[in-house]
Amino acid sequence: MSGVGSARKPRADAQRNRERLIDEAKAAFANVGPDVSLEEIARRAEVGIGTLYRHFPSRDAIVEAVYRREVEQLADAAQRLLDSRPSVDALHEWLKLLVSYMVTKKVIGPALGTMASGASELYESSGALIRAAVTLLVERAVASGEIRADVEAEDLMQAMTGFSSGVSSPGWAARTLRLIDILMDGLRR
């Protein structure tokens, strides 16, 4: 007898298949490109195409799942980092993770752009998660006295928007990581 509205937890093997499909889709978007076939993603994940479609009924669904997971992992990292190190170090490390996220977004961006329903709602919700993570990190670093008191989360959001320029150019990630180090030096008290 099941309760009204109760959701069954997916079987462990089904959850593993879903995660493997997301992992392989991300890798396939990076290695093959945004037009990689769903059959190729299923092959890489070592599952049948029917398994892929059970988890992701459309191309848009798997593209969205890859992007959402990347954003959620980035957002969740803020608290995890704060729990394990001083707030200024957590902020610094999180900004480095943001660079990896930007690379992933560049890779799957073209696939997001082809979504039938559009990606604006997806970008809006992901922007809110990222903004909340930055706000948490900045507020903790300011409160601890580790960074200047006049720093606001929006300052870092604007800086990272600027840093994202040229994400496709050679050496972008290394330059951006250096710029983050410079930025952090300027933020410290």
Side-chain angles (χ1 to χ4, degrees):
M1 178 183 213
S2 66
V4 174
S6 67
R8 288 179 38 187
K9 186 175 179 182
R11 292 186 341 231
D13 62 330
Q15 187 60 35
R16 278 191 306 273
N17 285 342
R18 178 179 173 75
E19 292 303 315
R20 193 166 52 244
L21 282 161
I22 293 171
D23 289 340
E24 293 304 328
K26 177 184 172 187
F29 292 137
N31 299 330
V32 178
D35 296 327
V36 65
S37 71
L38 296 180
E39 290 79 6
E40 174 65 11
I41 293 169
R43 186 192 64 72
R44 287 170 174 244
E46 300 176 345
V47 300
I49 192 68
T51 299
L52 183 144
Y53 280 116
R54 268 191 300 284
H55 291 284
F56 306 104
S58 68
R59 174 179 204 68
D60 288 357
I62 196 161
V63 169
E64 182 177 338
V66 169
Y67 184 72
R68 281 190 190 279
R69 186 178 70 175
E70 292 299 306
V71 171
E72 289 167 0
Q73 287 176 339
L74 179 63
D76 292 345
Q79 187 61 58
R80 182 176 38 76
L81 290 167
L82 284 167
D83 290 343
S84 65
R85 58 194 75 194
S87 57
V88 71
D89 295 338
L91 175 60
H92 196 165
E93 189 62 31
W94 189 87
L95 289 171
K96 292 177 184 178
L97 293 175
L98 184 61
V99 171
S100 295
Y101 160 77
M102 288 177 181
V103 170
T104 298
K105 186 176 176 185
K106 177 194 102 33
V107 167
I108 65 171
L112 289 167
T114 64
M115 290 174 56
S117 62
S120 60
E121 182 181 316
L122 184 59
Y123 285 144
E124 188 177 315
S125 66
S126 64
L129 286 173
I130 291 169
R131 187 166 275 102
V134 171
T135 300
L136 174 66
L137 289 158
V138 168
E139 287 176 353
R140 290 276 186 92
V142 167
S144 71
E146 294 174 284
I147 67 172
R148 298 166 40 151
D150 62 342
V151 176
E152 298 176 1
E154 284 303 315
D155 299 333
L156 291 183
M157 293 297 292
Q158 183 173 343
M160 295 312 294
T161 298
F163 290 167
S164 70
S165 175
V167 70
S168 298
S169 63
W172 173 85
R175 277 192 311 281
T176 302
L177 290 171
R178 269 194 317 276
L179 287 170
I180 287 171
D181 291 343
I182 294 166
L183 174 67
M184 289 304 300
D185 286 346
L187 292 176
R188 293 179 197 273
R189 289 181 60 104

